[in-house]
Amino acid sequence: MSTTVNTNNPYNLSIRFSSDGFYLYITDDKRKQISSNKVACDCMNLSEDVLSDVLSNVPEFGLNYSSVDITIESEQYTVIPAPLFSETHMSDYLKLQHSSIKDNTPILFNKLAIWNAVVIFSCPIAIEAVVRKILPEIELTHHLVDFANNSISLQNSSSVNVNVRKTLIDVFVTKSGLLTLVNTYKYNSNEDFLYHIMNIYDQLSLDTENCGITLHNLHNKNDLQELISKYIRNCKVQN
């Protein structure tokens, strides 16, 4: 693998590691996507040597790019206010919510600047090691930070933003512009999906008439929008 960052090259590479493999997207200097590729593998559990071999056979890694973004989907995360954050206590913060994390697991963090918060998350050892060898200057970004920075518009009103994944949803709730909830929920059916959303509205006393919801990355699940629209007046989709 010889991937490097070359500012004279007009192309950008985005890599996203997830439980079912990793995705690669190449965009031009106007951020228009020109190619994509998915490599199916259990990349979250591969050894460093095996993962390195898998990446070596991916043609996109043999090119130079103007920039490279690397995102990892990690369900072991916590979000805390930036004033409370201490890098020396990252492990303690994360283990309060995820006690099963092993001591040798890399623990990383990203700033969620739009809400003055910090996302602390775990990363598989092999992924962290391989990325450091290929592109040591690149910061691994948690998928929630990538989603918030690129998909959520900052506003002073109350709103619900839902990032729809295959069997998981990531939910951001703001009340009067302040971040109130960040959480991930598992769903196996449309009814599960509806239950989680309506429970959030109920527990946080959100008004279904005035507090809008935006479903992101819905793709071929348009029936979810139809279902949610029956209960929440302002339901939008953003893909």
Side-chain angles (χ1 to χ4, degrees):
M1 290 173 288
S2 59
T3 299
T4 58
V5 175
N6 182 341
T7 55
N8 295 320
N9 191 307
Y11 301 112
N12 309 283
L13 175 66
S14 294
I15 309 163
R16 186 183 187 95
F17 289 97
S18 67
S19 59
D20 61 350
F22 56 92
Y23 301 74
L24 303 104
Y25 305 94
I26 296 178
T27 58
D28 61 19
D29 55 355
K30 295 181 180 179
R31 289 291 176 174
K32 180 180 180 181
Q33 184 175 308
I34 58 176
S35 74
S36 64
N37 185 19
K38 176 188 176 182
V39 178
C41 64
D42 186 14
C43 59
M44 299 295 185
N45 295 301
L46 296 180
S47 68
E48 182 180 342
D49 289 341
V50 173
L51 180 60
S52 183
D53 288 342
V54 171
L55 296 179
S56 295
N57 293 318
V58 177
E60 286 87 350
F61 280 101
L63 304 174
N64 297 330
Y65 299 94
S66 175
S67 66
V68 179
D69 304 310
I70 303 177
T71 303
I72 180 167
E73 293 184 5
S74 173
E75 312 318 323
Q76 293 181 323
Y77 69 86
T78 189
V79 182
I80 65 170
L84 299 180
F85 174 71
S86 169
E87 195 167 345
T88 58
H89 293 294
M90 289 195 303
S91 177
D92 297 327
Y93 289 129
L94 192 58
K95 287 182 178 180
L96 282 174
Q97 193 166 341
H98 303 281
S99 58
S100 62
I101 293 176
K102 297 180 180 178
D103 291 337
N104 63 340
T105 300
I107 297 177
L108 310 175
F109 75 95
N110 301 141
K111 294 180 180 178
L112 199 54
I114 59 174
W115 289 301
N116 196 30
V118 176
V119 177
I120 304 171
F121 61 100
S122 69
C123 176
I125 296 174
I127 292 178
E128 201 263 351
V130 170
V131 169
R132 293 289 170 257
K133 288 181 180 179
I134 304 174
L135 294 162
E137 73 281 11
I138 301 298
E139 178 183 45
L140 273 161
T141 301
H142 191 266
H143 74 277
L144 290 183
V145 175
D146 178 68
F147 171 65
N149 290 340
N150 293 299
S151 301
I152 300 179
S153 300
L154 196 59
Q155 51 188 313
N156 293 324
S157 60
S158 299
S159 65
V160 177
N161 283 271
V162 183
N163 178 38
V164 182
R165 293 191 276 158
K166 189 174 182 180
T167 59
L168 297 167
I169 55 173
D170 306 307
V171 182
F172 282 75
V173 179
T174 58
K175 297 183 74 173
S176 301
L178 299 177
L179 185 62
T180 304
L181 172 72
V182 181
N183 207 352
T184 298
Y185 304 88
K186 184 176 180 61
Y187 73 99
N188 294 310
S189 66
N190 289 0
E191 290 72 24
D192 291 342
F193 191 103
L194 176 63
Y195 168 79
H196 290 307
I197 298 303
M198 298 311 299
N199 189 51
I200 289 169
Y201 269 77
D202 179 58
Q203 293 298 317
L204 297 180
S205 300
L206 301 173
D207 185 354
T208 57
E209 290 292 315
N210 297 306
C211 179
I213 184 170
T214 303
L215 307 178
H216 301 259
N217 304 311
L218 204 58
H219 301 303
N220 296 322
K221 299 181 179 180
N222 292 329
D223 53 335
L224 286 175
Q225 182 191 15
E226 296 177 8
L227 179 61
I228 299 300
S229 295
K230 293 179 181 178
Y231 300 90
I232 300 173
R233 182 177 181 182
N234 182 10
C235 179
K236 299 185 296 184
V237 171
Q238 181 176 319
N239 289 322

